[in-house]
Amino acid sequence: MVAGGSIVLRSGSLELSVTPDPFALEFTDVESGATLRTGQPGPASPNGDALSGFGYQTTESVGERRWRSGPGGSPLGPEHEHPPAAHGWYHLRRLVWILGTGEGATDAWAETDDPAGRRPRLMLRPVADGVVGIRLLAGSASAAAGSPVPSASAVEAVGISFVAEPDEAWMGFGERSDEVVRDEGVVEQYVGEGPYQEYEYPFLEGIVPPWGIRQRRDATYFPLPWVLSTRGVGVAVDNNETSYARLRPGGAETWSLEAEAPWLGFHVFAGPTPLDALRRYTGRAGRQPAPAAPWYFGPWYQTGHSNHVPLEEERRQLEILRAARAPVSVAETHCRYLPLGAQVGNEDAERARVAHFHDAGLAVLSYLNPLIGAEYAGAFEAAAAAGGLQRREDGSPYSFEAYAGGREPPSTTEAQFDFAAPAGREQWKVFAGELVAAGYDGWMEDFGEYTPLDAQDRDGGSAGTAGHNRYATEYHEAAATVAAELEARTGRPLARFVRSGWSGTPRHVPIVWGGDPTTGWGWDGLSSAVVEGLSAGASGLAMWGSDIGGFLSSVEHLTPELLRRWIQFGSLTPVMRTKSAGIDLGDYRRPQIWDDEIIGTWARWAAWHTQLNPYLQAAHRHYRETGWPIMCALALADPLDAEGARLEDQYWLGPDLLVAPVLTDGARSRSVHLPRRADFVDLWRATRYDPATRSLEPAGAARSPLLAGGRRVDLSAPIEEIPVLVRAGAVLPLLSAEVDTLSSWGTGDFVHFTERDGVRRLLAFPRGLWSGGLGVDERITSTAGPTGWRLVIEAAAERVYELRADLGYLEGGAPAGLDLSEGKASWSYDPATGVLAADVASRILEFRFTG
C-alpha cells in the first residue's frame, strides 16, 4: 500500500517502508520497534569513500576491474589479504517507475547518479511472517525508458548501507576463528582454508591451490553470508559470489553489505530478539538433521593419521582405554578412500579393522573427500570419461596440485568431482559404497574448498566465486543423498562430519568440525576453537566439535596440559572428538589420550560426556524446533547484558549449563561472568565425583553457596576441572554412569547404553519453577515452593529414575524433613546435608516439607 508518499509492505511482524524520493528503505520490527534503515545518499559524486544507501560500482567508477577472481580478474590467493576499495559508488537517488504497491510483490526502477544512465531494477517481496526479500539488479533494462541500459558486465559490485546504532554489534558470518561479536571491521564471505598462523602459510602454499586459501584472520572453511545484529534483526545475502560486510568503516556509524556481482539479493529477518531472528533465518535456510544414532554424541577418538595404523597398535590403544574404564563410542580411522584409493589392496585389512572395533562395542569411521588423484590408476580415467570431474574450457579434467595425506610428498595432481553433474555424483558414490561395504559406519567428509574459479560451470561459463562457494553445498548435498541410499541398503545409520560449508549446507550435514587448528593455546588453537563453536551457533549450526588437541604442529606443539584442557572443553561441546595426529613440522612426540598422564583425564570427561547424552539430545531437539544452538554465546542469549555480551570465552551448553573453559597455560582458577536473571550452582563444588562409579553425588549446598547472577566471580579450576555452573532450579537428565558405549555394536566386558536404557539419573537443584528436556521427546517440570516440591516426568517409556537432589538450594534453605505424599519411590533424606536420594518408578513425585 501507499501511505504518506511511501510504499509500505507488511510481512507479519516485519514492516518495510520505501521512500521513493529521495530513495530510502526502513524495516521495522513491529514487536520491538527496532528499525533497520538505509542512510540518505551523499553528494552527487561517485567518488565518495563510503557506500550510502543502495549503490553499485562499475569499471568506470573505480577506474579498473575489481580484483574478484575469474576471467578478467586477478586470482584470489594469499597475496590478496585486504578487501577491495570502498570508493566509487553510484547511488540510487529516486524511484521513477513503480509496479504493484499493494501488500504483495513490488517492482520499481530507479534513477542514479551514474553518468552512463543505468536504471537499476528494485524487487521487494514479502516472504513469510517476519521475512522480506530484496533484490537490486544494477544492469537491468529500464522499462520506464523502454530501452536497454549499458551492459551489466561493467558492474563490479552492488551494495547497501544501513545506519549503525550506537550500541549495535553483530554476530553470525558462519564459523569464524577471530571473533564472535564484532563492533567494526570487514568480514569476507568466501569458502577457503584457514585461518592459520602467519608462519604456516609458506608451507601451506605448496599443498593448497591459491584459490583454496585466504590469508585473512576472518578466513573460514564454513562462511555463511548472514549478519545478526544484537538489536534483534538479521540479514542474509542471497548471492553465491564473494560478498563483504563492512562494519563501521572508517569509524562511521554505518554498516554495509556488498556482493561482487551485477546484482545483490538479501532477506531481512525480524526479531524481536537475536534468537528470534536466528529462528526465522534457520527456519528458511535449513537446520541440521536429527542425529541418527546416540553415538553421534559419544566420545570419539582417532587411532592415527596414517592410512593404515597397525591393528596391533589399535588393539593396544583400546585395551588401555578399557583398562582405565574410559568410555568410548567411536573409533575414527583414516584410510583415505579418496583421493588415491588407499583401500585398494588392503580390503581384507579394512574389514578386519572394522570387525575388531565393532566386536569391541564401537562404531567406526573412515575418510572420503571430493578429490581424485591422477595417480589413482583406472579410477581417475573412469571418472573423467564419464564426465564426472570438473573441466577446463577445452573439456579436459581440471587438474591441479593439492594436499594428499598419508604419503610423501604430501601433495599430488588431483581433480574434483563435479557434483552439479549426475555423473559426478554417481562416480563419487562408488567410493562411498566401497567404504560402507567394508563395514564402516560413516566418514570424514573432508575438503570442499578447492573449486578453480575458471572451471566450467553447468552452463558452460566460468564458475567464478559463485560456483566456488556453491560447490560446498553441492558436495555435501550429494553426499547426503548417497548416504541415505546406503543407509536404506544396509539398514544402519551413517555419520558424516564436514568442515566446509556455504548457504544451504546445514540442512545436509549432521555434524561439523572446526577444521585444522594449531596445536596451541591462543589464536587458531584452543581459544579460537571456543570462538568457532559460538560463531557457528550464532549462524545456525548446532552439532559441532573441534579437533581435540589440534591438527597442525609447527612452532607450537601440543603439551599434556593443553591436551587435558582441550579434552575438558571437548566434553562440553556436542561432539567430543580427538585428533591423535595431523601435520607435524618438527621432531617431537605428541601427547595422546592413552598416555599414563592423560588417560585419567580422558576417562573422567569421556564418562561425563557420555552421561550427558539425554541432555544433549534434548538440546538438539530444541535446536531443530527453534534454531537455538546447543553452544550459545552469551551475546546471543542476552545482548542487553552489558558485560556478558562481549565475552567469547564462556557459553551456554544447552539451556542450563554455563561453561567457562580454561584457555591459559598454568591457570588454576578463572574469572567467570554470571549472566543476569538467573542464579547458579558451581557444579564441581556442589557435587563429588566418584572415580570408582564415574558418577556425581550431591555434596550439600553448604559446601557450595548459591551464586547470584549479574556479577563476576572467581572459580577454582584445578588441572582436572573445567568450571561449569548449573542454573539453579535445573534437573539434569543423565545416563547411568555404568554406560561404556553409546553404540549398539559388540558384546563383551562393557556396558551398552541399551542395557541401561531403563534407568535415568536425575541430578536436581530444585528452586522455583523450572522445565526442561529429559531426552528427545520427553520433559521434566520441577516446582519448588515454600511447603513442598513437585516433580513431573513426561516420559515416553517406564523407567527407573535415580533422583539425587540437593534441597539446600530451595528458597529458605533445606527443609527439616520430608514426606512423600504422591508417587512411588524408595527414598532417603539427610537433613544435615539437605540431600535427597530416591529411586523413582513414578512419573509424578511430590514431597511435602515437614518440621
Side-chain angles (χ1 to χ4, degrees), residues 18-25 38-46 51-57 89-96 108-114 118-124 134-140 157-161 262 264 266:
V18 184
T19 303
D21 188 8
F23 173 75
L25 300 177
T38 59
Q40 292 295 321
S45 166
L51 171 63
S52 179
F54 243 137
Y56 55 93
Q57 292 177 326
W89 292 96
Y90 295 125
H91 294 105
L92 274 64
R93 294 297 175 182
R94 61 186 61 85
L95 302 183
V96 294
W109 279 258
E111 284 186 349
T112 73
D113 53 12
D114 181 354
R118 291 179 180 85
R119 287 193 171 177
R121 181 183 179 186
L122 182 66
M123 306 165 68
L124 314 173
I134 308 289
R135 181 167 293 197
L136 181 70
L137 308 177
S140 65
V158 180
I160 187 168
S161 176
L264 172 67
F266 61 93

Side-chain angles (χ1 to χ4, degrees), residues 727-777:
R727 187 191 300 271
V731 180
L732 297 180
L734 305 173
L735 288 184
S736 166
E738 298 177 37
V739 173
D740 294 308
T741 179
L742 298 174
S743 92
S744 56
W745 289 104
T747 59
D749 189 19
F750 48 84
V751 178
H752 287 104
F753 79 98
T754 52
E755 298 176 62
R756 299 295 184 271
D757 196 39
V759 177
R760 288 291 183 273
R761 190 172 182 85
L762 304 179
L763 192 60
F765 306 90
R767 186 177 179 86
L769 176 63
W770 174 91
S771 181
L774 176 59
V776 177
D777 296 308

Side-chain angles (χ1 to χ4, degrees), residues 798-820:
E798 290 287 347
R799 292 194 185 94
V800 172
Y801 295 93
E802 299 175 349
L803 175 64
R804 301 295 182 267
D806 195 330
L807 304 187
Y809 294 105
L810 294 166
E811 295 183 36
L818 290 174
D819 281 333
L820 178 63

Side-chain angles (χ1 to χ4, degrees), residues 650-735:
Q650 58 182 88
Y651 58 93
W652 288 103
L653 181 71
D656 297 308
L657 294 177
L658 184 68
V659 182
V662 178
L663 306 175
T664 305
D665 192 6
R668 297 297 180 265
S669 66
R670 66 152 292 174
S671 179
V672 178
H673 171 71
L674 305 182
R676 59 188 191 142
R677 298 200 294 248
D679 295 328
F680 295 89
V681 176
D682 183 340
L683 184 59
W684 312 128
R685 308 288 82 71
T687 61
R688 291 189 177 91
Y689 172 69
D690 183 348
T693 63
R694 302 189 300 208
S695 64
L696 293 178
E697 299 292 340
R703 186 169 177 261
S704 178
L706 192 71
L707 300 173
R711 62 194 177 106
R712 185 168 281 277
V713 297
D714 290 325
L715 296 182
S716 176
I719 187 60
E720 287 300 340
E721 284 183 6
I722 174 176
V724 179
L725 297 110
V726 184
R727 187 191 300 271
V731 180
L732 297 180
L734 305 173
L735 288 184

Side-chain angles (χ1 to χ4, degrees), residues 206-420:
I207 60 175
V208 181
W211 55 82
I213 194 167
R214 299 294 292 125
Q215 191 167 322
R216 296 172 54 94
R217 287 182 69 85
D218 64 331
T220 178
Y221 308 94
F222 207 130
L224 287 168
W226 156 247
V227 184
L228 179 58
S229 168
T230 54
R231 301 186 70 243
V233 63
V235 183
V237 174
D238 301 333
N239 296 66
N240 288 316
E241 294 89 354
T242 296
S243 60
Y244 294 90
R246 298 182 193 267
L247 311 175
R248 293 193 175 91
E253 286 303 312
T254 63
W255 69 279
S256 63
L257 298 169
E258 64 197 66
E260 294 186 322
W263 67 282
L264 172 67
F266 61 93
H267 283 74
V268 177
F269 298 83
T273 69
L275 280 167
D276 290 317
L278 182 63
R279 169 177 55 82
R280 298 181 198 274
Y281 165 66
T282 56
R284 177 175 173 78
R287 298 171 186 145
Q288 290 177 272
W295 54 261
Y296 284 24
F297 288 102
W300 304 15
Y301 85 104
Q302 186 189 41
T303 67
H305 194 62
S306 64
N307 284 311
H308 306 293
V309 176
L311 187 55
E312 298 76 23
E313 169 60 18
E314 292 178 327
R315 288 196 180 100
R316 184 189 74 86
Q317 296 167 6
L318 191 54
E319 286 172 0
I320 294 172
L321 295 172
R322 291 287 191 222
R325 298 189 65 245
V328 62
S329 298
V330 182
E332 180 192 337
T333 68
H334 224 64
C335 179
R336 298 165 177 85
Y337 280 63
L338 287 170
L340 294 175
Q343 78 281 6
V344 176
N346 295 283
E347 290 83 359
D348 291 343
E350 283 288 277
R351 286 190 289 270
R353 170 190 281 183
V354 171
H356 161 66
F357 284 115
H358 280 172
D359 290 345
L362 278 66
V364 57
L365 309 174
S366 196
Y367 180 96
L368 288 167
N369 69 28
L371 296 149
I372 187 166
E375 295 178 40
Y376 194 172
F380 183 93
E381 290 80 4
L389 302 181
Q390 290 182 328
R391 296 171 295 109
R392 296 182 182 273
E393 188 175 4
D394 63 7
S396 63
Y398 203 125
S399 299
F400 48 83
E401 190 78 5
Y403 178 73
R407 55 167 280 145
E408 290 295 337
S411 66
T412 189
T413 301
E414 301 172 295
Q416 283 193 147
F417 288 90
D418 183 358
F419 292 103

Side-chain angles (χ1 to χ4, degrees), residues 32 167 224 274 310 320 325 429 469 471 511 572 649 692 707 758 773 808 818:
S32 68
D167 60 344
L224 287 168
I320 294 172
R325 298 189 65 245
K429 184 167 68 174
N469 292 327
Y471 183 85
I511 303 165
L572 289 153
D649 62 350
L707 300 173
L818 290 174

